[in-house]
Amino acid sequence: NTAFGRRIDLILTLSHVELCTNEWKREDASMSDIWKQQSKNSRMNKAVLSSLLKYPLNDEQNNGGSYNTHILIYYSLGPLGYMFYCFKREDVFVVKHMANFRLPPGLDQLDAFLDSLDILYKWKNHHLAMQTMLTPAITRFKDAKFYSQVTTDTDGVLADNDEYQSPNVYFTPAKRRKTGSCSTDTEDEAS
């Protein structure tokens, strides 16, 4: 079944916007499968980062540039895991190793799990920070998209979106009511 190899194990989203994709493999996976999976997931996260960079982040939110907007990628092979981060430097997307960790198979190895737990908290906190940074930017982006579809700029031209332009519509002035004992125009039309 070719569809089996095309799924993604975890996609983190915020307001229907992807933040990252993450993959898990069984511990006995072949090195060929691991490299293919890592390559596929790196390409997926590059696409996710490209999508995130279209949102209007101000310098305060972005800490000065797209280099600081990065995503953390989590891979797991049974109890072994490692993390990469993906960022854009000028016109190049870079995926770089960040950390290794091991999930304890039993309680007797819980002491060794503290360092790994620290890495997993960094992953979680990074995504919470991304949520704080991206939520207002996503809202601004969606608002601007909506308003560009329904409003005009100061020259009366629909904001640069030909796909959603409505035809010219002219409204007639409202009908005036006659005062005194005469009936209104609307009543005359109804008779």
Side-chain angles (χ1 to χ4, degrees):
N1 182 358
T2 59
F4 180 78
R6 299 183 195 278
R7 68 179 184 188
I8 297 171
D9 294 321
L10 174 67
I11 301 175
L12 288 182
T13 63
L14 169 68
S15 301
H16 305 290
V17 173
E18 293 178 4
L19 299 179
C20 70
T21 65
N22 301 277
E23 298 285 347
W24 288 272
K25 283 281 189 197
R26 293 187 343 204
E27 191 173 12
D28 61 351
S30 71
M31 283 309 293
S32 172
D33 286 345
I34 292 169
W35 281 106
K36 285 179 193 174
Q37 189 79 20
Q38 184 174 312
S39 176
K40 177 189 98 169
N41 202 29
S42 295
R43 289 189 311 271
M44 291 293 299
N45 279 289
K46 179 258 178 197
V48 168
L49 182 57
S50 293
S51 165
L52 292 176
L53 291 174
K54 75 179 179 185
Y55 293 104
L57 298 172
N58 59 37
D59 284 342
E60 235 175 67
Q61 292 170 312
N62 196 21
N63 297 323
S66 63
Y67 174 70
N68 292 310
T69 302
H70 61 279
I71 48 181
L72 297 183
I73 308 165
Y74 173 101
Y75 301 97
S76 180
L77 303 162
L80 301 175
Y82 52 103
M83 203 172 298
F84 283 75
Y85 63 102
C86 179
F87 60 94
K88 184 176 182 183
R89 169 87 45 102
E90 297 175 17
D91 290 336
V92 177
F93 287 87
V94 179
V95 177
K96 189 171 179 178
H97 179 259
M98 183 179 144
N100 298 324
F101 55 93
R102 179 178 184 80
L103 302 176
L107 293 176
D108 57 331
Q109 296 180 11
L110 207 50
D111 290 343
F113 183 55
L114 291 178
D115 291 336
S116 296
L117 195 57
D118 186 47
I119 293 165
L120 293 173
Y121 273 118
K122 286 179 183 178
W123 182 81
K124 174 195 166 214
N125 290 334
H126 170 75
H127 289 98
L128 290 175
M130 282 184 71
Q131 177 182 356
T132 301
M133 177 180 68
L134 285 169
T135 298
I138 290 169
T139 301
R140 281 193 307 273
F141 180 82
K142 288 180 178 180
D143 289 354
K145 183 177 178 180
F146 170 77
Y147 291 127
S148 75
Q149 295 170 0
V150 298
T151 62
T152 58
D153 64 15
T154 55
D155 298 328
V157 177
L158 200 61
D160 62 11
N161 195 343
D162 292 337
E163 179 183 350
Y164 297 106
Q165 281 193 2
S166 65
N168 292 333
V169 177
Y170 300 97
F171 294 97
T172 58
K175 296 188 181 213
R176 288 181 280 172
R177 293 181 176 253
K178 294 183 182 178
T179 57
S181 62
C182 297
S183 61
T184 62
D185 290 343
T186 341
E187 290 173 359
D188 290 339
E189 289 174 3
S191 347

